[in-house]
Amino acid sequence: MSFGLVWSPLVPLLALAAAAIAVVVLSLLLLVSRTRGAWWRIGAMALALLALANPVFTQEDRDPLKTVVAVVLDRSASQSLADRTRMTDEAKAAIERSFGRSPGFEVRYVDAGASDGQTDGTHLFEALRGLVSDVPAERIGGAILITDGQVHDVPGQAAAIGFQAPVHALITGRSTDRDRRVVLTQTPRFGIVGQTQTVGFRIEDNGTGGRAAEAAVTVKRDGETIERRTVTTGATTMVQVPVTHAGANIVEIEVDGLDNELTAINNRAVVIIDGIREKLRVLLVSGEPHAGERTWRNLLKSDAGVDLVHFTILRPPEKQDGTPINELSLIAFPTRELFQIKIREFDLIIFDRYAQQGVLPLIYFENIARYVRNGGALLVAAGPEHATSASINDTPLETILPAAPTGDVMERPFHARVSELGRRHPVTRALPGSTTEGTPQWSRWFRLIESRTPGQGSTTVMDGPDNRPVLMLQRQGEGRVALLLSDHIWLWARGYEGGGPHLELLRRLSHWLMREPELEEESLRLAVRGRQLAVELQTMAEAPAEVTLTTPSGRSQTVAMQAAEPGLWRGQVEVTELGLWRAQAGTLTRLVNVGPANPREFTDVTSTLQVLEPLVRATGGGLWRISENGSLTMPRIVPTRSANALRGEDWLGIRQRDASVVRGIGILPAFAGVLGLILLLGALTLVWAREGR
């Protein structure tokens, strides 16, 4: 309970001021003229003026409020190293016991810094501000941080924390902690596929006294080792990394660990290089002109990422009709330059209804077969000539083609259908217009080149009547081959009977031949979608292999996969850590980085006082190591009211606030009611009595 006096004038302040001036003037006149009873008159006027000012006596009923103390517990990944988690829990228990003996405090606890898959680094002050956001600053007596000292959101100024009270830090970990880490110095973001990029790094040892040492380093790209070398710690090293494919090329630099180091997690750093393809070079060789030739040309010319070289064989060399040499053609067919000197520069070679006409010697077909086995791509779109003695199957290409022709040509209407294996193959899976049963929703074709039983390793993805192959795919060595046994796909392009998905089919087919990762028959893909990590497995098998996911901290878990489409299985898990995640299904391995390539949480994991010391000292707080010897060593907690010192060698101070909340107010106007009437009448009576003498 507290008492007070407030003023509540009965008239406006301007009128009250005028009355006060009048009273002063009259008082001076009375005193100067030495009027009898002047002081009594002055007293009466003063009481009247006081009544107009209306003094009010107040009585407040207040309930005291507890002083709020914020305790922030660092639960980041670095706090899980060694015995830091145990020390954090023991320190929390000691604080609870200490404040349990002081009923005037409200202690609030918050776990902070744990990775949620979105935040990079340890953010304790963000959690501190959220913990006391509903508390007035004058109620906060202080804050205690229990951490290893690696905090990444320390304010530059003490005022930024939002209250004036000491911030103390209890540091877990030991000053003798040692750790080795990889520091990246040069990280290219992009690279041309087929070329190399330079990555720079440095190996740093913390807690070893700065002594240089030799360390063994392994460099990997997409999980495959590309180089091993020994480097000197503290020195910058450069390594050349080939960019082998479009999209993310994940480069890992891993170093052997120190003896008794805190963790091996930061012994690895990741660089993500986005591979960019230069224009793809395609060689299209057409036989005699036919209705479908323009379909291939239009498809390839419509892609801005393709450089097309197209030749059409208008006449064989042996044809003699007297036409002058200078009128035979505009451009001679440079067979030697294309099929011997520059053949390796092409990403794809297409033979469209090509027949042996003596233009290409057999040695060039041998070059093409070797080109495919060494990683090239070949597409043969066959017509009636493929069933004759002029077939290119009767060349060295026979050794790489999926099937040989029988010599028969079926010429009757039929629907090309996606085969059973084709429903699982990414080239033909869910092809627009295809159905699992019944007639496909695309037009008929009218010619099919019959072939013998496909060779071992070939896959028929589209078939016709009586399961006759229409489109076959096969891998040969490092390269790929496709054989299309009908020349009527142009009917789809012309819209005959509604047409068909010729653009989608030919696009997928050409991209599969050029080894686009999205069209691999056996592939494992990872993608981060919000707080979920999506896992996608493409396989030609009836059932998927078990998918094992390894987190950045080394924990493993099995992903439950669900059938999404034929040959496609999907699953997802919640992202709980930042860093490099690894998925494995059989022989397939896939990496994906969640968040920054190298999370700040594992950049430096040694215990330190230096990060927090400037802010803690600025607030009047202190820092103590509580686990230097492995056992808990806690400073005493001392409530203080007006002490200037808020820390000592073995104690920490918490300001004890005197905040309270008003529950009720009683008021008593001094000149209201009977009391006011008595005072005023009494004053007038005394003046009248004095004047009557």
Side-chain angles (χ1 to χ4, degrees):
M1 182 178 296
S2 61
F3 298 93
L5 176 66
V6 297
W7 301 89
S8 180
L10 300 176
V11 295
L13 290 178
L14 188 60
L16 185 63
I21 294 173
V23 169
V24 171
V25 172
L26 290 175
S27 299
L28 290 175
L29 291 174
L30 290 173
L31 292 175
V32 171
S33 63
R34 296 185 178 182
T35 303
R36 293 178 56 190
W39 286 107
W40 290 97
R41 295 181 183 184
I42 292 172
M45 288 187 294
L47 283 176
L49 183 64
L50 191 62
L52 291 177
N54 191 27
V56 178
F57 297 102
T58 63
Q59 173 186 323
E60 294 181 349
D61 292 329
R62 291 179 172 269
D63 289 342
L65 294 176
K66 292 183 177 181
T67 299
V68 174
V69 180
V71 179
V72 182
L73 309 174
D74 184 352
R75 299 296 187 182
S76 62
S78 62
Q79 274 284 82
S80 64
L81 304 177
D83 57 353
R84 296 178 184 177
T85 299
R86 177 180 62 82
M87 285 297 167
T88 301
D89 294 338
E90 290 182 0
K92 177 185 177 183
I95 292 173
E96 289 175 340
R97 290 193 299 270
S98 179
F99 281 107
R101 298 188 291 268
S102 302
F105 292 94
E106 176 189 344
V107 185
R108 297 186 176 188
Y109 300 89
V110 63
D111 290 339
S115 175
D116 58 0
Q118 305 293 323
T119 304
D120 182 23
T122 302
H123 293 241
L124 300 189
F125 286 90
E126 180 181 332
L128 173 61
R129 285 189 288 268
L131 183 63
V132 297
S133 60
D134 61 335
V135 181
E138 58 271 15
R139 284 191 59 196
I140 301 174
I144 301 174
L145 311 180
I146 306 176
T147 176
D148 56 12
Q150 296 292 352
V151 183
H152 302 109
D153 67 338
V154 180
Q157 301 292 332
I161 62 176
F163 56 84
Q164 293 183 347
V167 175
H168 303 286
L170 305 180
I171 305 299
T172 60
R174 299 172 175 82
S175 59
T176 56
D177 288 342
R178 52 189 291 173
D179 184 61
R180 170 172 286 174
R181 60 181 177 136
V182 179
V183 179
L184 297 173
T185 59
Q186 183 171 325
T187 56
R189 294 181 56 192
F190 304 99
I192 302 297
V193 175
Q195 299 183 9
T196 61
Q197 283 287 9
T198 302
V199 176
F201 65 93
R202 182 176 67 251
I203 307 301
E204 290 187 355
D205 289 345
N206 295 328
T208 60
R211 297 185 301 273
E214 299 295 315
V217 174
T218 302
V219 182
K220 299 179 180 179
R221 184 196 59 246
D222 296 328
E224 176 185 355
T225 300
I226 60 175
E227 185 178 349
R228 288 187 176 92
R229 65 168 66 178
T230 300
V231 302
T232 302
T233 59
T236 299
T237 303
M238 299 294 180
V239 62
Q240 300 296 318
V241 178
V243 181
T244 59
H245 59 81
N249 292 257
I250 299 181
V251 181
E252 299 174 79
I253 301 173
E254 189 170 0
V255 63
D256 290 350
L258 287 170
D259 293 335
N260 301 319
E261 70 171 326
L262 282 172
T263 179
I265 293 177
N266 58 358
N267 290 11
R268 179 180 62 196
V270 176
V271 180
I272 301 176
I273 304 175
D274 284 330
I276 302 174
R277 283 191 183 275
E278 291 184 306
K279 284 193 173 184
L280 300 173
R281 300 199 66 196
V282 178
L283 173 61
L284 172 61
V285 182
S286 300
E288 61 185 54
H290 66 100
E293 180 180 359
R294 186 169 294 275
T295 300
W296 291 102
R297 182 178 179 84
N298 289 345
L299 169 71
L300 296 169
K301 292 294 288 184
S302 65
D303 191 340
V306 172
D307 273 342
L308 176 64
V309 179
H310 184 197
F311 287 94
T312 301
I313 309 302
L314 298 176
R315 53 183 284 162
E318 70 273 7
K319 183 176 181 180
Q320 300 294 332
D321 57 6
T323 305
I325 296 297
N326 61 351
E327 297 180 9
L328 284 177
S329 65
L330 294 175
I331 300 175
F333 192 23
T335 54
R336 181 175 180 274
E337 184 178 12
L338 293 176
F339 296 103
Q340 183 169 334
I341 299 176
K342 294 186 176 180
I343 188 172
R344 295 182 182 85
E345 296 181 7
F346 291 102
D347 298 288
L348 173 63
I349 297 175
I350 302 175
F351 282 111
D352 173 30
R353 286 198 58 175
Y354 181 82
Q356 292 191 70
Q357 304 180 59
V359 177
L360 291 180
L362 293 181
I363 186 62
Y364 291 157
F365 287 106
E366 180 64 39
N367 289 345
I368 296 171
R370 188 181 305 111
Y371 153 82
V372 171
R373 293 190 183 97
N374 290 335
L378 174 66
L379 170 60
V380 176
E385 74 289 333
H386 194 62
T388 68
S389 59
S391 171
I392 62 173
N393 191 75
D394 296 330
T395 69
L397 294 184
E398 178 185 14
T399 59
I400 64 172
L401 291 178
T406 63
D408 296 326
V409 178
M410 186 192 80
E411 296 197 359
R412 61 184 175 89
F414 72 95
H415 279 96
R417 303 173 186 272
V418 177
S419 67
E420 184 64 30
L421 287 176
R423 294 191 185 100
R424 297 199 291 266
H425 201 287
V427 170
T428 49
R429 181 181 62 236
L431 195 64
S434 64
T435 57
T436 55
E437 295 182 4
T439 303
Q441 298 174 7
W442 52 58
S443 68
R444 296 172 295 171
W445 292 350
F446 295 88
R447 183 153 52 211
L448 177 63
I449 314 305
E450 299 194 24
S451 64
R452 296 187 176 91
T453 303
Q456 185 177 6
S458 66
T459 303
T460 300
V461 295
M462 294 187 74
D463 54 26
D466 303 322
N467 296 325
R468 292 182 175 92
V470 173
L471 177 59
M472 288 182 285
L473 310 176
Q474 185 169 347
R475 296 171 181 260
Q476 285 289 352
E478 298 295 324
R480 304 182 182 192
V481 181
L483 178 60
L484 179 61
L485 292 169
S486 177
D487 61 336
H488 279 188
I489 195 170
W490 63 272
L491 293 172
W492 285 2
R494 299 286 181 85
Y496 174 75
E497 294 183 345
H502 70 288
L503 286 176
E504 182 67 13
L505 176 60
L506 297 181
R507 182 191 65 80
R508 293 189 195 180
L509 181 59
S510 58
H511 285 187
W512 176 84
L513 286 165
M514 291 184 284
R515 293 181 290 181
E516 284 294 327
E518 296 298 319
L519 290 165
E520 292 293 320
E521 302 98 311
E522 302 291 332
S523 66
L524 183 62
R525 293 183 282 271
L526 300 176
V528 181
R529 296 169 185 163
R531 300 174 65 90
Q532 300 293 321
L533 181 62
V535 184
E536 187 174 85
L537 176 63
Q538 160 69 45
T539 180
M540 296 295 289
E542 294 286 345
E546 183 179 83
V547 179
T548 302
L549 202 61
T550 305
T551 68
S553 61
R555 294 184 296 105
S556 296
Q557 64 184 101
T558 301
V559 183
M561 304 296 290
Q562 304 292 330
E565 299 176 21
L568 192 64
W569 303 76
R570 293 192 177 103
Q572 64 180 21
V573 297
E574 185 176 356
V575 173
T576 56
E577 299 179 26
L578 298 178
L580 192 66
W581 291 65
R582 183 188 304 269
Q584 185 165 5
T587 59
L588 300 174
T589 300
R590 185 66 176 173
L591 305 172
V592 69
N593 192 73
V594 178
N598 299 283
R600 298 168 67 186
E601 181 60 34
F602 291 110
T603 299
D604 189 355
V605 296
T606 55
S607 175
T608 180
L609 304 176
Q610 297 176 359
V611 175
L612 287 170
E613 186 170 15
L615 179 73
V616 168
R617 297 305 187 198
T619 64
L623 297 93
W624 297 267
R625 285 192 178 274
I626 60 173
S627 58
E628 186 67 46
N629 300 319
S631 59
L632 185 67
T633 305
M634 284 281 292
R636 293 179 296 110
I637 298 177
V638 179
T640 64
R641 288 189 178 275
S642 58
N644 294 325
L646 295 170
R647 68 178 185 273
E649 183 177 348
D650 61 348
W651 64 273
L652 64 86
I654 298 294
R655 288 193 183 278
Q656 194 163 13
R657 304 293 191 175
D658 293 324
S660 60
V661 61
V662 178
R663 297 300 182 187
I665 299 178
I667 60 175
L668 177 63
F671 289 88
V674 177
L675 178 60
L677 181 62
I678 292 173
L679 288 174
L680 291 176
L681 289 178
L684 292 175
T685 301
L686 287 174
V687 173
W688 174 77
R690 182 67 182 85
E691 290 291 332
R693 290 183 183 180

